[in-house]
Amino acid sequence: MSDATTGAPRVGVIGLGAMGMGTATALLESGLEVTGCDISAGAREAFEARGGESAETPAALAARSDIVLLVVVNADQVEQVLFGHQGVVGSLRRGGLIMQCATVAPSIARRLGERLAGEGLEMLDAPISGGAAKARSGELSVMASGAESAFAMAAPVLDAMAATVYRLGDTPGVGSSMKLVNQLLAGVHIATAAEAMALGIRMGLDPDTIYEVITHSAGNSWMFENRVPHILKGDYTPLSAVDIFVKDLNIVHETGRELALPTPVASSALQQFTAAKGAGFGREDDAAVIKVYERLSGITLPEAANDAEGA
C-alpha cells in the first residue's frame, strides 16, 4: 500500500537509462519513495547512490510498489517486464497502476490495457517527451490516456515528473497515438537537420556558421537546435540513439500501413536511420545519422576536441 507516513504512493521505475534515471531521480527528489530496476547492475548502483532503492527483478520492484513506470525501449521489453519470468504482473497488488511510458504502437497499448484490466490492474498509457535533461528536472511532456481512476492515482507522480500533462482520452491507445505523431516529426526533423548540415558542409560553409544562422532563421526547429551541437562537437555519446528512431519510425510506417495512410516523408527518414544503423552507428546518438552523408559524399565532419588534440 502507500507510504504509511505520508500517504504517498510507493513508486517503481523500470528502465534506468537516460530518461528513466532522470525521471526516477526527479520523483525521488519530490519526496516520493522510489525503487528502480534495470538489467544493468551499474545503473541500479547509480540510483542507489542518489538515495533511491533498487530491485534486481521487476517482480521484486512490484512487490514494494503501488505504481510502476515502464521507461523501457520497446514493446518486447514491455511484454517481458510485465508478463515474463519475474515480471510485474502477479507481484503488483490488485488495483495497482502501470504507467506505460515507452513508445509502442497504439494497437499494442490498447491490447495491453485490456490484458492488465483482466489482471485487476489499472493502466495509464503515458508516453513521455522532452529528453534526458527535462526528465532529470521533472519537466517532461506526458501524452496520457486512461480511466479517471488511473489519472487520480498517478497525480503525485505526474506532478513530480512533468511540466505538462495532456489528458487525451479515457482509454489506453490515445496517448500512444499522439506520441507517434510526435516521433514522426522528431525523426524527420533530425534526419532533415543532418541533411541540411551535410549540404552546407559540402558547399563549403562553416558548420558553426550554419548553426548560428539557421537557429535565428525560419528554417530552425527544436531538433536542429538541440541535435546539431552534437555534430559540431563531434560527440555522438547516445542521449537518444539511432536505434530508437529505427524502431519508432518503423512503428509509424507499420501504423500507416494498418490505416492505409501513406507516410512517404517519414519512410524516407526511416531509410536514413536504417542506413546509419547498417553502417554501425545504431548505438550512437541519433545525430550520427549525418555520418551516412559522410560515407556517401566524403564530407569532413567536425571532430571531438580530444580526438583533434590527439591527431
Side-chain angles (χ1 to χ4, degrees):
M1 299 299 291
S2 61
D3 185 288
T5 304
T6 66
R10 301 170 303 165
V11 184
V13 178
I14 300 179
L16 297 174
M19 295 287 281
M21 181 68 80
T23 297
T25 303
L27 294 174
L28 188 66
E29 291 180 351
S30 77
L32 293 170
E33 178 185 327
V34 185
T35 302
C37 179
D38 196 280
I39 58 172
S40 166
R44 297 195 303 270
E45 291 167 5
F47 186 58
E48 289 176 356
R50 299 182 184 202
E53 299 181 3
S54 73
E56 292 190 5
T57 68
L61 175 144
R64 62 177 82 161
S65 301
D66 303 300
I67 299 173
V68 176
L69 279 70
L70 307 184
V71 195
V72 296
V73 173
N74 55 35
D76 288 342
Q77 291 186 4
V78 170
E79 176 74 19
Q80 184 62 32
V81 300
L82 287 179
F83 300 103
H85 179 63
Q86 292 293 306
V88 168
V89 174
S91 293
L92 186 63
R93 66 173 180 81
R94 287 184 67 86
L97 174 67
I98 301 294
M99 289 180 59
Q100 202 305 100
C101 301
T103 302
V104 301
S107 57
I108 289 176
R110 288 191 290 271
R111 289 196 297 271
L112 187 61
E114 293 168 359
R115 292 172 69 188
L116 291 173
E119 299 287 345
L121 300 174
E122 298 256 21
M123 175 179 157
L124 198 66
D125 183 18
I128 54 180
S129 182
K134 289 189 176 181
R136 177 63 185 83
S137 62
E139 296 179 298
L140 290 169
S141 292
V142 180
M143 306 163 216
S145 64
E148 179 65 34
S149 55
F151 275 105
M153 192 182 305
V157 174
L158 293 171
D159 287 346
M161 68 184 284
T164 308
V165 178
Y166 296 99
R167 298 183 62 154
L168 301 169
D170 58 7
T171 58
V174 186
S176 287
S177 295
M178 185 60 72
K179 180 63 185 295
L180 211 55
V181 173
N182 182 79
Q183 293 309 93
L184 184 157
L185 289 166
V188 167
H189 287 175
I190 294 169
T192 304
E195 185 170 303
M197 287 299 298
L199 176 64
I201 293 169
R202 185 68 179 84
M203 293 189 298
L205 296 174
D206 173 67
D208 290 289
T209 302
I210 298 171
Y211 180 75
E212 174 66 19
V213 173
I214 294 303
T215 55
H216 292 87
S217 302
N220 192 31
S221 69
W222 191 93
M223 283 299 187
F224 186 96
E225 193 162 341
N226 184 266
R227 296 307 204 266
V228 172
H230 303 178
I231 298 168
L232 299 178
K233 295 173 185 175
D235 183 359
Y236 298 96
T237 304
L239 299 179
S240 173
V242 164
D243 281 344
I244 295 295
F245 277 99
V246 173
K247 171 186 73 78
D248 289 358
L249 288 175
N250 192 58
I251 295 173
V252 171
H253 177 70
E254 291 298 325
T255 301
R257 288 183 61 184
E258 289 176 12
L259 300 172
L261 176 75
T263 54
V265 179
S267 296
S268 180
L270 171 59
Q271 291 305 309
Q272 290 301 102
F273 283 106
T274 302
K277 178 181 176 68
F281 308 129
R283 298 195 175 205
E284 295 190 20
D285 188 82
D286 50 36
V289 71
I290 196 172
K291 294 185 179 182
V292 174
Y293 297 97
E294 183 180 40
R295 291 281 183 93
L296 293 175
S297 67
I299 60 172
T300 300
L301 296 175
E303 298 179 2
N306 57 348
D307 292 343
E309 291 168 3

